[in-house]
Amino acid sequence: MALLEVQGISSSYGEVQILWDASLELERGRLTALVGSNGAGKTTLLRTVMGLLKASQGSIRFDGRDVTHVSPHGKAAEGIVLVPEGRQLFPSMSVYENLEMGAFTKRARGNFQANLGRVYDMLPRLKERAGQRAGTLSGGEQQMLAVGRGLMAQPEILMFDELSLGLAPFLVLNLFEVLQRLKEEGLTMLLVEQNVQMALAVSEYGYVLAEGRVELEGPSRELARNEHVREAYLGI
Amino acid sequence: MLVPSLMDGLLLGFVYGIAAMGLSLIWGVMDVINLAHGPIIALGMFGIYLGFTGLGLNPYLMLILVIGGGLLLGVLIYWVAVHRVINAPHLSTLLATFAVNMIIIGIATAIFTTSPRNVDFNLGGFPVGPITLPWTRILAALASVLVTALLYLFLYQTRPGKAIRAVSDNRAAAELMGIPTSWILALAFGLGTMLAAISGGLISTFFPFTILAGSSYELKSFVICVLGGLGNPLGALIGGLLLGALEGIIPAFMETSWVPVLEFVLFVLILLVRPQGLLGSKT
Ligand SMILES: Nc1ncnc2c1ncn2[C@@H]1O[C@H](COP(=O)(O)OP(=O)(O)OP(=O)(O)O)[C@@H](O)[C@H]1O
Ligand SMILES: [Mg+2]
């Protein structure tokens, strides 16, 4: 049984339906990729999974339990954590306070020191900048903080929305190393990326979303060889 | 003549400051202008009055009950009136808190009538050189400073306090991090009304009042928020001191009845020239 089972969910912004009967499964300990072009509905899917947006249809099961109607903070308390698109930090609070807020839930609070050590170890920049206001960090540092804050939440499932967007290549590499390490530790992850090539290279399984529907799915290696994917997303 | 009046005004300014801080906190955290602010100030006055005349309780002891009551009342108002419309346009939240304003005034007028009351409580004066400052005002100012300091400690050193700041920065992100944002908003609303109730309670120890008295203090709170910049607690305290000083100085030059007029001229001028507030930063 997959750790997270999303079954045929649909959702809308007002009258406009964006997501159509989308299903996806996150296997335990696996890094799954979700790719698609701009406006395909990737962020909408993640927002619906978290409960920020109401699913008009379908169900979401976590570890076998129905969590479709659990609030976003309730999902975080269960260990379903999203590193949102556009960082979404707490800009007036310090780097350290942002990490503290990441560890707000009961499950994360007990492991605060251990997780903080781990985050500082993986993203040493955050340690140097601990006292600085998050709003004054550089874009790359902000993305590191968003990742660090997500890790502080002691996730069972960690989902990243546009991890690499707008970052310098060496920073992207840096963050993918972190991803690699988390994968080795056995964390279940979902990577949403516009950088399709990179996403399919690091993941084991992938989904292609187009116009709010899951168009294709399969082992990432196969997707990367797929004619359609190569033409539409890899520009080959 | 000017010096004692200025001193009086400054001491009063601290109390105005925490009233404005309540308004400013709610605005800063959830972008809601609480139009029930005035009646809650009046309820703080009546809390002290009832404790003092009804039960013979010391006003400062009674203030502890007013603090708890103000917090609970605010949490209740949030859940009953504000929560449903928290994501709606500003007009909806204005109407919701205005409705609460009318309900409180209606019920309280039915119970207490609008006749003037006062808390007949006197601690004498404290001589400073040639002038004497009433102890009730000194204590009110000290209490206001203490309340401000405790609010800062709460917001910057405790988990729920930091959660309030996180929610104020980015509500959706706070929710994603497992913070129950609706409860945090309710708490912030409770703290805002608590500050209003405390200021009312402190004012009642030296000024007479009616159940409608809150509205003039509510207006002062708006002026102060504009002076100090909305959403900035320390700015509210400084704005309060400015307004208090002004109220102390003006009567030396003209009739006291001119005070509110000048206050609102100032209000409009600042809005025209520096809409982010005299001390507020540009955003
Ligand atoms: N708040 C909103 N209100 C109305 N429509 C929205 C809203 N957010 C997104 N949309 C629309 O929903 C569609 C899907 O958007 P979404 O953000 O999910 O795409 P995406 O796959 O994440 O794209 P990108 O790769 O650019 O991040 C788009 O057509 C977008 O315009
Ligand atoms: Mg997106």
Side-chain angles (χ1 to χ4, degrees), chain B residues 88-187:
Chain B
H90 282 164
L91 183 61
S92 305
T93 51
L94 279 174
L95 288 174
T97 57
F98 186 67
V100 173
N101 166 82
M102 296 308 285
I103 292 168
I104 296 177
I105 288 194
I107 295 174
T109 307
I111 298 173
F112 302 118
T113 74
T114 54
S115 51
R117 319 280 170 140
N118 78 311
V119 177
D120 193 10
F121 180 71
N122 198 333
L123 293 172
F126 177 72
V128 186
I131 60 175
T132 304
L133 299 171
W135 267 113
T136 47
R137 287 209 189 200
I138 296 173
L139 287 178
L142 287 176
S144 302
V145 173
L146 182 67
V147 165
T148 308
L150 289 177
L151 180 69
Y152 264 86
L153 268 179
F154 180 74
L155 291 176
Y156 284 83
Q157 300 297 335
T158 71
R159 261 166 51 81
K162 289 180 189 184
I164 288 180
R165 288 165 54 220
V167 167
S168 137
D169 265 11
N170 189 328
R171 201 185 306 165
E175 184 73 26
L176 287 176
M177 290 302 117
I179 298 174
T181 53
S182 297
W183 276 106
I184 295 297
L185 292 177
L187 173 64

Side-chain angles (χ1 to χ4, degrees), chain A residues 210-226:
Chain A
E211 290 172 25
R213 299 167 204 268
V214 174
E215 190 185 39
L216 268 176
E217 66 168 282
S220 301
R221 217 170 310 168
E222 285 175 25
L223 284 181
R225 279 199 303 261
N226 181 290

